Amino acid sequence: MTPLRDLEYDPASCTIGAAVGIIGEKWTFLVLREAFNGFRRFADMQRRTAAPRQVLSGRLDRLVREGILERVPYQEAGQRRRHEYRLTAKGRDLYPIIVALMEWGDRYAAGPAGPPVVLTHRDCGEPARLQLACRAGHVLDSPREVTPQRGPGA
């Protein structure tokens, strides 16, 4: 693929780099995986990710600061007040990224038995998969069907 010369822009304004700077680290992705799977409490996330306590605490704090998770207080009878972590709208918008990583891992990193988790449509039970489509509804099966063009931030 030949680079498009009219696509010149300041690489410092690249939104891919900005996004990776916020979420592009193993523990962050594992925390997001657990949040999407419905786990909200620190102890559950720590058990399921096997993250060291200090690392998990740091990742949760960063995701809260970035507005991806929100910290919500709860208190069980006879216990001290604690917090659980819920996805915000900004956080829920990361779902396609998590699914894309999962699909790639299912294809190239799963063991001989296959992937450990399969996503299905809640209403009909059929397998779900991620698709890229244009606004007109055309499904794009290859990067060769896409043309990068200068955006307003270039």
Side-chain angles (χ1 to χ4, degrees), residues 92-144:
R92 289 187 300 274
D93 282 347
L94 290 168
Y95 190 63
I97 294 169
I98 297 296
V99 172
L101 283 171
M102 182 180 154
E103 287 183 0
W104 188 90
D106 290 352
R107 177 177 273 174
Y108 297 108
V117 175
V118 178
L119 301 178
T120 58
H121 183 210
R122 183 175 299 197
D123 290 345
C124 72
E126 286 296 312
R129 67 182 178 90
L130 200 59
Q131 281 187 323
L132 182 63
C134 70
R135 284 190 193 165
H138 303 115
V139 175
L140 308 171
D141 293 320
S142 164
R144 294 177 185 211

Side-chain angles (χ1 to χ4, degrees), residues 17-48:
V20 168
I22 296 169
I23 63 166
E25 179 277 326
K26 171 189 170 180
W27 296 114
T28 301
F29 280 109
L30 296 180
V31 167
L32 290 170
R33 176 193 68 195
E34 296 313 317
F36 281 114
N37 285 333
F39 293 94
R40 297 177 172 172
R41 296 184 178 177
F42 187 94
D44 293 330
M45 288 187 180
Q46 186 177 26
R47 179 177 50 82
R48 293 185 52 83

